[in-house]
Amino acid sequence: MNTNSEFLQFGLSEETLKTILEKGFEVPSPIQKLALPVLLNETCDIIGQAQTGTGKTAAFGLPIIEGLAKGKDGKINAIILVPTRELALQVTDEIISFKGNRNINIITVYGGQSISEQQRRLRRGADVVVGTPGRVLDLIKRKDLLLDNIAWAVLDEADEMLNMGFIEDIELILSHTPKSKRMLLFSATIPDRIVKLSKKFMNDPRILTVGNQHSATNLADQIYFEVKRADKFDALTRIIDIEPEFYGLVFCRTRVDVDTLSSRLLERGYSCDGLHGDISQAQREKTLTKFRNKFINILVATDVAARGIDISDLTHVINYSLPQDPDSYIHRVGRTGRAGKEGTAITFITPDEYRKFVFFQKTIKSNIRKEILPDAQDIIEIKKMRIKDELQAIVESETYADYLAMAEGILEVNSPEIALASLLRMAFKNQLEEKSYPEIRTFNVDNTGTTRLFIALGKKDGMNPRKISSFIRTKVKISDNKIDDIGVYEEFSFVTVPFADAETILDAFSKKGRDGKALITKAKKR
Ligand code: AMP
């Protein structure tokens, strides 16, 4: 081990330090700095507030391995409960990677796989069991899993387990464990239900917090763009196009949104796939493997389907639509910028979501920066540069031999410029034309200003201020007091509304009337 390594300070064994070196960890992550000294040198329980990807597996895994390296009693020493099968497998792999050549058995149990195989493996002897609550409880009931001698009980991603309805199972599992064990609970957020659980089962836990409860990972650069719903798709493709190595998770609200978005991306030639609750476990694993191995670089998912996905080098997390609440925002954004890697979290805000977003920002206490989408010219320039780089790479790697004779033949009848330009056209079709990038209308919702609207209905149509207000509210949910300064004239009327609402109203009334004009339009300057 590098003699300067900060991992030396914890007094870990030589064998364990060697595995850390092999894994290439250089400095301990914040949760590791906080938790390792407490877990290695003291005896208290802990609640660690840390998201997925912050290195918490090592924070609890290393002390468990160190304990086992000193002596085993042939019984299960640690139970680690996690919300999903994927996380169970990831946690298992991570802990196995710390054991080195030592004889320590780590077994994973989860639903959806034959229980008999898991029973067989348990019978052969386990030191550490990592599992999902349902299956763990099942195995306890069948007397295949005996937890009466454990030294450690770990709840990983406790808030996710709570969201998935595992709380009763967890309580039952814990009731089969000895009081003497140490209990560790890790969670990105600490809702009341978790506080209650900790009071019931933990022994005066020490709370270790990395940053503040509502702060999304500091490593992710957080940006938002204001886009109309109808422009979201083009906005997304611009973001993907401008990033040379885009590798991202795109969050949608519903299963239908996931399907629609992934089909549209596929149609446009992007390599992507979608994940949601209706997708079979087998298909889900296939998709995740493709994504992990970078055969696809875009994964579209719902919050539920994205649970437990732990992919450490995402360049982007995109909130294609705003999540339900600030906690979900933190969970989503926490998936990028992992273990020291920079990542970008992008949120699309439509006019009607702006207020909700302001509330999120206040709750999260995080700086989410507004940016303007790259324009078509920027993207085209970047694409051109990329094409030149790729071409140069082929020239330098000399992998063009099969085409040389053909090239000579083409050059006999065409000039080099024309031949090359035509070849580029063939390869990239109209990708480098500005008109391939539809215009994205800009607007300002974070402005406290208002918009004056023109309505093509007036006194002659029986309108008065009250009726104008109700007319708008037939299509748009807006409170009366936001419709201000109503002027009703013979042929037409005017109202003043906040910017964000104006966009919604204009959208709702965008259908053109007989005269080819929409009923409500932006008023010309007064
Ligand atoms: P976790 O939060 O435990 O799921 O860890 C996320 C990823 O970060 C895993 O791939 C770990 O191997 C990696 N990791 C954990 N601790 C460190 C560290 N101190 N330095 C670099 N990578 C780490």
Side-chain angles (χ1 to χ4, degrees), residues 7 23-29 32 51-59 87 90-91 94 98 310 312 338-339:
F7 277 99
K23 282 184 71 84
F25 291 6
E26 285 163 349
V27 288
S29 71
Q32 290 164 3
Q51 3 241 335
T52 326
T54 49
K56 58 187 161 61
T57 316
L87 203 61
Q90 279 157 21
V91 166
E94 185 80 353
F98 299 126
D310 181 22
S312 57
R338 308 198 139 179

Side-chain angles (χ1 to χ4, degrees), residues 269-280:
Y270 293 96
S271 63
C272 82
D273 212 336
L275 276 190
H276 55 62
D278 276 353
I279 285 167
S280 72

Side-chain angles (χ1 to χ4, degrees), residues 274-322:
L275 276 190
H276 55 62
D278 276 353
I279 285 167
S280 72
Q281 186 64 31
Q283 181 56 39
R284 179 184 162 89
E285 305 227 325
K286 257 191 222 149
T287 299
L288 281 173
T289 307
K290 272 197 287 179
F291 189 53
R292 216 168 261 130
N293 297 333
K294 307 209 169 147
F295 290 121
I296 54 171
N297 65 328
I298 307 166
L299 186 63
V300 185
T302 55
D303 286 293
V304 174
R307 275 189 193 136
I309 298 179
D310 181 22
I311 290 177
S312 57
D313 50 351
L314 294 177
T315 60
H316 287 75
V317 163
I318 298 191
N319 295 312
Y320 196 69
S321 37
L322 261 191

Side-chain angles (χ1 to χ4, degrees), residues 233-234 237 263-270 436 438:
F233 181 72
D234 290 309
T237 59
S263 323
R264 284 186 79 183
L265 285 168
L266 283 173
E267 266 165 35
R268 281 270 191 106
Y270 293 96
S436 310

